[in-house]
Amino acid sequence: MNPINIIIVDDHLLFSQALNGLVSNFDEFNVLKVLNNGKEVIDYISNNNQQPEIILMDIQMPIVNGIEATNWLKNNAPDIKVLALSMECDEVTILKMLRAGAKGYLLKDIHPNILRHALKEVYSNGFYYTENVTNTLLNSIQNAAPNNVSLKDRELEFLKLTVSERTYKEIAEVMCLSPKTIENYREALFEKLEVKTRIGLVLYAIKEKIVIL
């Protein structure tokens, strides 16, 4: 089997070089290129260079950040899978990266074995999310949907809207419901889908193809 080609994108030179050395030591993978920011990714792909299967993408970078670059890839090179690798662990950033098309989200302090496993999973299955993106955000996301889940039309409508950038208050306005009713929908879905956060709802919607990004 030919090695899986990887591009690393990170503006911190020491980290990117260390990551290059780490991934290059994984037998299954080959690092094609180490790039400094999203613009370099766009230029590399646009110039018809050898295409990677996976891009390990930092988020906070100059010129073109990881979210912008991932969104560009989704629209221009959708076969390339983006795996976010960042120090950013706030809910807003994670949601933005997922909406941009990232197939996974890892924090930079993960163990090398988890990184290797994540790369394999993204390549084979199309996505990978750790069970704990952070202690406060993603505490319980299942590998498969809970059995016998039946969602009502309004619950599906609410679930689709959670993937947007709207606040819960704005979702209430779109659905012509009170904030209290929206809160009840949210809590009901938390229980039904066995998740604890909005991130969990978003991941469920993506993984079950209720929302196609």
Side-chain angles (χ1 to χ4, degrees):
M1 177 180 173
N2 293 328
I4 300 161
N5 289 318
I6 307 288
I7 283 180
I8 294 168
V9 189
D10 197 296
D11 64 319
H12 292 94
L13 182 60
L14 286 177
F15 179 81
S16 62
Q17 292 301 324
L19 186 59
N20 180 16
L22 175 64
V23 175
S24 295
N25 283 329
F26 298 155
D27 294 338
E28 309 92 329
F29 302 102
N30 171 58
V31 178
L32 284 178
K33 198 79 175 174
V34 177
L35 303 173
N36 294 316
N37 56 62
K39 183 179 184 303
E40 291 190 6
V41 175
I42 293 170
D43 290 345
Y44 179 92
I45 300 301
S46 299
N47 289 330
N48 296 316
N49 291 298
Q50 185 177 359
Q51 305 291 285
E53 279 78 37
I54 301 172
I55 293 179
L56 273 171
M57 185 83 76
D58 191 17
I59 294 177
Q60 298 298 336
M61 296 180 291
I63 308 176
V64 174
N65 66 37
I67 295 169
E68 294 165 336
T70 300
N71 191 64
W72 184 91
L73 289 164
K74 178 176 69 174
N75 294 319
N76 294 277
D79 291 339
I80 298 174
K81 301 174 177 68
V82 174
L83 180 58
L85 184 60
S86 175
M87 291 300 295
E88 302 293 323
C89 61
D90 63 285
E91 181 175 285
V92 172
T93 300
I94 295 172
L95 282 169
K96 284 182 177 179
M97 197 60 176
L98 296 180
R99 279 193 293 264
K103 303 303 182 183
Y105 198 107
L106 302 172
L107 297 179
K108 287 184 176 179
D109 60 357
I110 59 167
H111 191 280
N113 289 342
I114 295 178
L115 174 61
R116 187 177 193 174
H117 176 67
L119 288 168
K120 289 180 180 179
E121 287 292 307
V122 166
Y123 179 75
S124 300
N125 300 325
F127 63 86
Y128 177 81
Y129 301 104
T130 57
E131 291 190 4
N132 289 293
V133 170
T134 69
N135 290 332
T136 58
L137 288 180
L138 191 54
N139 297 319
S140 179
I141 188 70
Q142 305 300 317
N143 291 326
N147 293 326
N148 303 317
V149 171
S150 177
L151 300 181
K152 299 174 183 176
D153 289 343
R154 293 292 265 175
E155 288 177 331
L156 279 171
E157 182 182 356
F158 169 74
L159 187 56
K160 290 176 182 178
L161 287 168
T162 63
V163 183
S164 72
E165 295 189 6
R166 294 182 175 90
T167 64
Y168 284 124
K169 182 180 179 181
E170 290 169 337
I171 291 173
E173 292 172 356
V174 171
M175 295 182 68
C176 299
L177 297 171
S178 70
K180 179 62 178 176
T181 302
I182 289 298
E183 184 179 324
N184 291 338
Y185 275 127
R186 181 190 66 198
E187 295 304 318
L189 283 175
F190 280 172
E191 183 173 350
K192 277 187 178 182
L193 305 182
E194 300 177 14
V195 299
K196 298 179 181 179
T197 68
R198 184 169 178 169
I199 296 286
L201 296 178
V202 170
L203 294 183
Y204 178 88
I206 293 171
K207 291 167 78 172
E208 296 303 309
K209 295 182 170 58
I210 293 168
V211 173
I212 306 297
L213 296 178

